[in-house]
Amino acid sequence: MKTCEISPNCGGNTAHVNFSAADKMPNLFSWAPDLFGVPCPQRFFASEQQQDFKQYMDTQQQILRILDDVLSLGGRSAGFDRSTHLLGAIPELDSMAVVNLITSLEDQLGIMVDDDEIDGETFGTVGSLTDFVTAKLAA
């Protein structure tokens, strides 16, 4: 585990960050305190890790926009986060919608998804889908 310190003027808290095998992509579940609820923006990242994190969050935003478009959610995806359950939790995400979603991800993000690369877990949560797409973009 690597540790990223939050500056002392934020109460001296420490945010612990787990990194993937590639040692670049933070696992967002490991942030303490909550990544999005901390008013202090002063975190110490290596610039490459900061850029990777920004790209990851940009990818998640693109995925949420695509989900909203493909599933006709009318903006509901704006309230989704990494832990939001998808398959089995959103009625609009049926088997045909999964096919349409994959096609849209391929077209809009420039990735190729083979049938044997995906399963129900891929579409389990926003986070699992974002992790999958991020890995495809990095390949």
Side-chain angles (χ1 to χ4, degrees):
M1 175 183 292
K2 291 189 175 185
T3 302
C4 294
E5 298 292 327
I6 296 178
S7 68
N9 64 350
C10 290
N13 297 319
T14 301
H16 297 283
V17 182
N18 288 328
F19 287 81
S20 70
D23 202 27
K24 293 183 179 179
M25 188 57 58
N27 174 345
L28 299 181
F29 287 123
S30 63
W31 280 93
D34 179 45
L35 179 64
F36 302 107
V38 176
C40 178
Q42 298 173 350
R43 301 179 193 281
F44 298 100
F45 282 105
S47 61
E48 184 178 332
Q49 291 168 342
Q50 188 174 19
Q51 182 62 30
D52 287 345
F53 180 75
K54 182 184 179 323
Q55 288 173 346
Y56 182 87
M57 295 307 293
D58 289 347
T59 299
Q60 181 170 302
Q61 289 304 311
Q62 289 176 308
I63 290 168
L64 291 176
R65 183 184 45 76
I66 293 168
L67 274 168
D68 207 80
D69 290 345
V70 170
L71 302 179
S72 301
L73 296 177
R76 285 188 0 231
S77 69
F80 294 177
D81 63 22
R82 182 173 169 75
S83 63
T84 301
H85 291 277
L86 298 175
L87 199 59
I90 298 177
E92 296 89 345
L93 189 58
D94 59 17
S95 58
M96 271 313 280
V98 168
V99 172
N100 291 335
L101 180 58
I102 292 169
T103 301
S104 292
L105 291 169
E106 288 177 328
D107 291 346
Q108 294 184 39
L109 300 178
I111 60 174
M112 291 297 300
V113 179
D114 294 325
D115 293 340
D116 61 348
E117 293 181 301
I118 55 171
D119 57 26
E121 287 184 22
T122 305
F123 296 92
T125 64
V126 169
S128 62
L129 183 56
T130 303
D131 292 345
F132 174 78
V133 171
T134 299
K136 294 298 289 179
L137 289 168

